[in-house]
Amino acid sequence: MSDESIVLTEAEWEVMEFLWENPGAIGRAICERMSAKKGWSRSTTLTLLTRLEKKGAVSSGNGSIKAYSPLISRADASLRETKNLLDRFYNGSLGVMVSAFTKKQKLSREEIDEMYALLRELEEKNND
């Protein structure tokens, strides 16, 4: 499965968050963390790790004690999820999404300034 086609479930995302913060974590540490944070059993966490490995999102090495490391970056996974969100709910239009959010939620002056700066940067790139 190519990196571009890896889609993470909400539960898989939880495991990946831990692995992005703790690359090379052993299975026991991951199970303990997921038990404390989510109340998951050891078998639930191990099942998720197996699924993530089959998807190509993590590797576990070849040793007798499995140490799991992410094969996809958080930035790439976030970008893919954002694109899926845009495609699914906003017909692929970032403008429609921003419009929908700003109608329901007031933006701070700082957020507005950040959006203007981003738009100016994108405009400069498009003019090059």
Side-chain angles (χ1 to χ4, degrees):
M1 182 175 282
S2 77
D3 181 49
E4 289 294 312
S5 64
I6 297 172
V7 177
L8 301 174
T9 66
E10 189 174 333
E12 290 167 344
W13 192 272
E14 290 285 340
V15 174
M16 291 301 296
E17 285 285 2
F18 180 77
L19 289 174
W20 287 318
E21 294 292 323
N22 304 280
I26 62 172
R28 184 177 68 217
I30 301 166
C31 290
E32 288 172 359
R33 170 67 175 172
M34 293 300 108
S35 176
K37 184 177 180 186
K38 303 300 283 182
W40 294 346
S41 69
R42 180 178 181 276
S43 65
T44 296
T45 301
L46 292 176
T47 297
L48 288 167
L49 287 165
T50 299
R51 284 183 6 200
L52 286 166
E53 196 165 18
K54 285 180 183 174
K55 286 182 174 186
V58 301
S59 67
S60 63
N62 295 325
S64 60
I65 297 176
K66 290 190 171 192
Y68 293 87
S69 294
L71 295 176
I72 58 174
S73 71
R74 189 182 197 296
D76 287 343
S78 294
L79 183 61
R80 196 168 30 262
E81 290 296 321
T82 302
K83 184 179 179 331
N84 289 341
L85 174 87
L86 281 173
D87 290 345
R88 184 171 176 197
F89 296 108
Y90 300 102
N91 292 328
S93 172
L94 180 59
V96 172
M97 183 185 83
V98 170
S99 176
F101 274 101
T102 57
K103 285 179 184 173
K104 295 289 184 180
Q105 178 178 329
K106 186 175 179 179
L107 296 176
S108 70
R109 182 78 241 166
E110 183 179 311
E111 290 171 318
I112 292 169
D113 290 344
E114 287 176 14
M115 290 182 78
Y116 274 127
L118 177 60
L119 290 171
R120 281 191 294 274
E121 184 181 317
L122 290 171
E123 188 173 48
E124 288 174 13
K125 284 182 183 178
N126 285 342
N127 288 335
D128 287 345

